[in-house]
Amino acid sequence: MGALWSFIHGEIMDGGIRTQLREHWGLCPRHAWGHAFVDIELWEQGTATRAGHLPFDAEVLHEELLGDAVGAFTRPLSRRRLLRALARKGRCRVCVGLSGSHVDRIGYAGQSSGTLTRIVDQLGFTRELICASRGTWRLGMCPSCAWPGSTDAYALGSRPLLCRHHTSELLAADGLYTSTQERIASQLKAVLTRLRRHIETGSWADPNAQADPAAAWVEALGWTAGWDPVLAIAADCG
Ligand SMILES: [Zn+2]
Ligand SMILES: [Zn+2]
């Protein structure tokens, strides 16, 4: 927990770490989602009626990562080079920090690490956010994450967007048509546009913003880190 807090409130802005994050496509799946959930649960200084409780840092990081992804699918890269571009390089920044011993016991803002962990574990704000925007993000979720093993998962003619990992698997096994690459680039660009709109407006409190842009961070993290945590949380939406 302490590692995620120090990450959210400092390290992420460092230029060298930013480069490492881009090369690794963000954080490992556990810490990518954990980073967003900690931000949603504990951030209380935001503007508008929601007063924070949005994954702002994760959104800003993923704005950059999605920009890289659009670039990778837009450039005429060979199959081998595209595969290399989609692979994670180096190690997860937070995993590296945690292996350094004491860091996870550090608290934040006068709260002990244990208290912060309990707040985050309840995931109340996160569940609310994910459930409210479910109707939108589920249209763009990776079918291979959502229905593992299904042969329909590679129905590439439809809107669903395979995540980075499953795109790489498909690319390694069968390659991608140029038209498929172009479609992926335009789908990623559409998510990026919605994500930017949400970052610019901070618009959860805006009645006209609705759930659409608020779903983009889920799709962005789903693409880089896979969809398992959000699917597990959404199972309780009712
Ligand atoms: Zn990690
Ligand atoms: Zn997937």
Side-chain angles (χ1 to χ4, degrees):
M1 180 65 59
L4 275 173
W5 260 115
S6 66
F7 179 74
I8 286 171
H9 294 281
E11 276 203 343
I12 198 169
M13 306 312 288
D14 178 283
I17 289 170
R18 206 90 183 170
T19 304
Q20 285 177 31
L21 287 169
R22 288 174 72 178
E23 289 176 347
H24 193 72
W25 287 105
L27 300 170
C28 72
R30 177 161 175 261
H31 288 130
W33 287 102
H35 173 211
F37 296 165
V38 167
D39 215 2
I40 293 169
E41 295 303 320
L42 301 182
W43 176 39
E44 292 177 339
Q45 270 88 51
T47 54
T49 55
R50 195 173 164 82
H53 299 301
L54 288 169
F56 185 71
D57 280 350
E59 289 188 332
V60 170
L61 173 60
H62 280 76
E63 179 186 14
E64 206 160 349
L65 299 180
L66 281 192
D68 290 344
V70 170
F73 285 99
T74 305
R75 287 195 301 275
L77 295 178
S78 67
R79 177 171 161 183
R80 191 170 52 85
R81 291 189 65 185
L82 182 55
L83 261 176
R84 207 184 313 143
L86 293 178
R88 291 188 191 272
K89 291 151 200 91
R91 289 184 61 199
C92 164
R93 188 64 214 166
V94 176
C95 285
V96 169
L98 289 176
S99 65
S101 72
H102 69 284
V103 69
D104 200 34
R105 293 198 295 274
I106 299 169
Y108 180 79
Q111 305 271 24
S112 71
S113 182
T115 305
L116 295 177
T117 304
R118 275 194 297 283
I119 293 169
V120 172
D121 280 351
Q122 291 166 8
L123 291 182
F125 291 104
T126 302
R127 190 170 294 109
E128 178 201 338
L129 198 54
I130 285 173
C131 292
S133 57
R134 180 174 51 160
T136 302
W137 59 251
R138 71 188 308 170
L139 297 174
M141 69 186 171
C142 170
S144 290
C145 285
W147 301 285
S150 163
T151 51
D152 293 337
Y154 296 135
L156 286 167
S158 54
R159 186 189 158 197
L161 176 62
L162 287 174
C163 68
R164 182 190 55 80
H165 169 73
H166 285 119
T167 303
S168 297
E169 264 191 9
L170 183 65
L171 184 60
D174 298 329
L176 295 176
Y177 291 114
T178 306
S179 59
T180 307
Q181 280 199 37
E182 288 167 357
R183 185 182 52 72
I184 293 171
S186 82
Q187 283 177 291
L188 288 168
K189 211 180 283 180
V191 177
L192 179 58
T193 301
R194 289 162 50 223
L195 185 66
R196 281 197 176 129
R197 201 186 317 149
H198 195 240
I199 290 169
E200 282 162 14
T201 59
S203 58
W204 183 253
D206 175 356
N208 299 316
Q210 299 167 350
D212 182 46
W217 72 273
V218 178
E219 292 166 62
L221 266 75
W223 191 81
T224 58
W227 285 78
D228 290 354
V230 79
L231 294 171
I233 290 172
D236 291 336
C237 285

